[in-house]
Structure formats: C-alpha cells, structure tokens
C-alpha cells in the first residue's frame, strides 16, 4: 500500500485501547500514532497527529462518539471506523454514525474482550485499510424524514416491476438517499445490504421512518408489493421467486456466496430468473465484487442495470467490478439514481 495507514484509537477503556493498538500494529501496513481516552483529548490529537483513520467508540465520557463524529464530519471530514456494541442502543447509534459519514463499523465482543477481539483481528485490519482509501463526504447532521420526492408520481399499481438493489460499505447512507428519492407508489424493491444479524431489523425501521415508501425486513414467503422495500435479514440470503402472478421473498441460510450472507449475487441471480426484463438492477457502493456476476445475469435477461458512479461511492469496489464485466448500462451519482429507476420503469414495456 506504500506509506503506512496512520491510525488514532479513541476509546474510554484503557484495555480496549491497548488491545486495538497492539492488534493493528501487528500489521506492517498500519501505524497506530496515538490513543485517546475521550473526544476532548482526541480532538487535539487529530490536530497534532493528522491520522488517516480514526477508530471511535460510541459510549465515552465528556462527549459521546456520535456527537464527536458529527463535529468531525462538519469541521474536518476524515475516515472513521466505529467500534460499537450490539445492544439495541449500540445498533441505533451505529446506524446514525454511518448516516453521518462513518465509513464502517466493528461490533464489540459481548464476552471475553481479548479473545473476541483476537477473532476479529483480520476484519478490523481490513476495515481500517478500506477506510483509509474511502471517499468521505461532508455530513453536518443526521437526516430528517424525507419530504415528498422531487419526481413526478409514477402511478404504479402492479407487481410486474421490481427493483433489486445491492450495497455494502457506504450503503447505509447511499440507500437512505436513494430510497428517500422514491415516491410512495414506487415499484417494489428488494435490497441486500451486507450487514450482520441484529442490525437489519433496526436498519429497516430507521429507513421506514425516513422514506415515503414502506421499508421492512423481508420474511420468508412474504408477498412483494408496490410501494414497499424488503431488506435481506442479516445472515440470511434473500431471493425473489414467482408466486402465481406475484413475486414473493424467499430466505435461506445456505453457505455464503462471494464471501457474504446475505449475498447480492444471490439476490440478483434470483431476480434475473424470476423477473427478467421486468426488473431493474442497481449496484451501490461497497468493497469487493459481490453482485457483479448477478447483475450481469440480470442484464443478459433484459433488465435495466445501473451502477453508482465512482465520485459518490464511499468505496468504488462493487460498481467497478460490475462495470468491468459489462454488467451496468450506465453509472450515475447516487442523487440521480431514484429518478433514473422511475424513468426506466416508465420507458420499458412490461412483460407479463
């Protein structure tokens, strides 16, 4: 990678600071330049040390991690990796942090901190390196509920049209922006976002509180309806199948595909088979290549396909891999994808 990634660790636990620092220092491409017990100390260390990446705890004295992150993203945007618990409050805070501009997160072990972190060492090191290469966009505050989208109402009232969306790193904010651009009567959408069990339920509820469409975690056998968005549950693959004249969700816990469960490839391949030219495939920001092959199958089946452009991706990995395979017809800034989806729904003939 050339120069080492310079990391500042911010956590109120001395043990956590020591374990994280030792773990990251073991990688030859990472240098831990400092460790701060709270945001007040961290603020000065950021000025003095100019780190490439900050790892940030959520719950700390003097100022909580979310408030500190908000200040960072407003005054000095930089890559931040959140370290948070999987409690309900921790999940809510993490989702808020990702909306504010944090690149990614790592869940704290619930028991046996030392052993638990050792098991996450490869994940933490990989995410720090990804964060160092990420594009960070200025965020001054968490989003309010979306106003009515600035697009004409579409009048969709059938289930022939279906939109399949895949995302990973940076996808929390990208999905929020895309879905908040969709009117309440949009065609049905199914989404796979790389996210562990315990996060997707709260993620779906949070999106539902912000968007005009109805957003929910997908359930096995659930009928897919217009104006609704179905999020793949953490640790379950989501597929779309035909159920008579309708579409339905199917969940399975088969082995990970492209290194992930849920996998975007699994979703896209099922949509290619069940909806063919009646579908629209969208691949958003994310590390790796999950979804590229599946999107290529969707395009070969006649579906319209869109990739998020490099300039607005936090990590231009998945869209880049899809473009390299010829899977995407076009790439667009995230703020233009909702309108493009609706345009393609109006322009293309629906096959029954």
């Amino acid at each position: 990678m050339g120069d080492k990634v310079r990391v500042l660790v911010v956590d109120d636990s001395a043990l956590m600071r020591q374990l994280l620092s030792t773990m990251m220092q073991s990688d030859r491409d990472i240098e831990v330049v400092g460790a701060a017990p709270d945001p007040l100390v961290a603020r000065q260390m950021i000025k003095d040390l100019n780190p490439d990446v900050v790892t940030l705890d959520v719950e700390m004295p003097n100022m909580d991690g979310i408030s500190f992150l908000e200040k960072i993203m407003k005054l000095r945007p930089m890559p931040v990796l959140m370290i948070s618990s999987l409690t309900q409050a921790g999940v809510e805070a993490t989702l808020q942090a990702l909306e504010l501009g944090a690149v990614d997160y790592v869940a704290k072990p619930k028991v046996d901190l030392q052993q638990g972190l050792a098991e996450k060492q490869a994940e933490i090191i990989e995410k720090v390196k990804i964060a160092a290469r990420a594009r960070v966009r200025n965020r001054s505050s968490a989003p309010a509920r979306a106003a009515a989208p600035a697009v004409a109402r579409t009048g969709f009232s059938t289930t022939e049209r279906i939109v399949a969306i895949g995302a990973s790193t940076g996808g929390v904010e990208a999905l929020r922006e895309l879905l908040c651009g969709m009117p309440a009567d949009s065609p049905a959408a199914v989404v796979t976002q790389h996210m562990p069990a315990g996060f997707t339920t709260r993620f779906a509820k949070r999106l539902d509180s912000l968007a005009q469409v109805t957003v929910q975690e997908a359930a096995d056998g659930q009928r897919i309806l217009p104006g609704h968005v179905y999020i793949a549950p953490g640790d379950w693959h989501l597929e779309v199948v035909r159920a008579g004249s309708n579409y339905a969700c199917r969940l399975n816990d088969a082995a990970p595909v492209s290194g992930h469960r849920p996998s975007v490839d699994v979703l896209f391949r099922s949509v290619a088979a069940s909806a063919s030219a009646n579908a629209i495939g969208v691949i958003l920001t994310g590390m790796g290549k999950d979804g590229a092959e599946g999107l290529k199958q969707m395009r070969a089946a006649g579906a319209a396909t869109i990739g998020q452009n490099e300039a607005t991706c936090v990590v231009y990995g998945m869209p880049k891999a899809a473009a390299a395979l010829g899977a995407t017809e076009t790439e667009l800034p995230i703020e233009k994808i909702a309108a493009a989806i609706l345009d393609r729904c109006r322009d293309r003939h629906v096959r029954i």
Side-chain angles (χ1 to χ4, degrees):
M1 289 182 62
D3 294 338
K4 290 188 176 184
V5 177
R6 293 162 50 82
V7 182
L8 173 65
V9 176
V10 186
D11 198 294
D12 65 324
S13 164
L15 177 59
M16 190 72 175
R17 294 195 302 274
Q18 178 188 357
L19 292 174
L20 283 173
S21 297
T22 301
M23 177 187 304
M24 287 186 283
Q25 286 281 165
S26 70
D27 189 280
R28 64 182 182 180
D29 294 321
I30 296 176
E31 177 186 3
V32 177
V33 295
D38 63 52
L40 299 183
V41 175
R43 181 173 56 188
Q44 188 59 48
M45 293 182 80
I46 289 173
K47 293 179 182 178
D48 295 340
L49 300 172
N50 193 30
D52 300 312
V53 178
V54 170
T55 69
L56 183 60
D57 188 16
V58 172
E59 298 175 359
M60 292 181 293
N62 297 325
M63 182 188 298
D64 66 88
I66 299 302
S67 298
F68 185 51
L69 176 66
E70 192 166 3
K71 291 181 181 296
I72 291 175
M73 302 314 293
K74 183 177 181 179
L75 301 174
R76 187 182 175 137
M78 63 187 304
V80 175
L81 177 67
M82 302 302 296
I83 308 292
S84 62
S85 69
L86 277 175
T87 63
Q88 181 171 321
V91 170
E92 291 281 3
T94 301
L95 293 174
Q96 186 180 0
L98 294 171
E99 289 173 351
L100 285 168
V103 173
D104 211 335
Y105 63 91
V106 174
K108 278 186 176 180
K110 293 182 179 179
V111 295
D112 194 349
L113 184 61
Q114 189 163 356
Q115 177 61 30
L117 280 179
E119 293 171 358
K120 291 177 175 285
Q121 179 169 345
E123 176 190 358
I124 291 169
I125 288 173
E126 180 187 25
K127 288 186 174 182
V128 164
K129 292 180 179 180
I130 291 170
R133 300 193 298 267
R135 290 176 181 82
V136 178
R137 302 171 71 186
N138 190 301
R139 296 278 182 268
S140 60
S141 60
R145 181 176 175 84
V151 293
R153 290 182 66 81
T154 56
F156 293 109
S157 58
T158 67
T159 58
E160 283 86 20
R161 287 294 188 193
I162 189 164
V163 182
I165 305 169
S168 187
T169 310
V172 168
E173 170 60 14
L175 283 167
R176 183 201 64 79
E177 189 158 355
L178 192 164
L179 296 181
C180 285
M182 302 292 287
D185 60 349
S186 295
V190 285
V191 176
T192 288
Q193 159 75 45
H194 294 160
M195 193 171 275
F199 273 78
T200 46
T201 301
R202 301 305 306 171
F203 180 47
K205 289 180 178 178
R206 188 164 180 82
L207 286 174
D208 186 60
S209 72
L210 298 171
Q212 299 295 313
V213 288
T214 299
V215 184
Q216 58 195 112
E217 192 176 51
D220 190 49
Q222 185 174 27
R223 182 181 170 187
I224 295 173
L225 300 171
H228 288 65
V229 177
Y230 304 87
I231 307 287
D235 211 28
W236 289 86
H237 292 306
L238 170 62
E239 296 177 285
V240 172
V241 296
R242 272 285 187 180
S245 61
N246 303 307
Y247 297 117
C249 297
R250 182 168 66 193
L251 303 181
N252 74 73
D253 59 354
V257 174
S258 303
H260 299 280
R261 188 174 65 206
S263 164
V264 182
D265 271 324
V266 169
L267 176 64
F268 284 173
R269 287 168 183 162
S270 73
V271 174
S274 62
S276 60
N278 295 334
I280 296 170
V282 181
I283 193 159
L284 303 178
T285 174
M287 186 69 182
K289 60 181 181 179
D290 185 28
E293 290 285 356
L295 195 67
K296 185 177 181 180
Q297 289 185 24
M298 287 186 65
R299 187 174 185 186
T305 58
I306 302 168
Q308 185 177 351
N309 73 345
E310 183 174 4
T312 62
C313 281
V314 171
V315 178
Y316 182 60
M318 287 161 48
K320 181 179 181 180
L325 285 179
T328 45
E329 294 176 335
T330 187
E331 289 189 334
L332 296 169
I334 187 62
E335 63 270 16
K336 294 186 177 181
I337 292 179
I341 289 170
L342 300 179
D343 285 343
R344 282 155 176 75
C345 286
R346 283 190 288 266
D347 290 347
R348 295 205 173 198
H349 177 66
V350 174
R351 297 179 185 176
I352 305 300

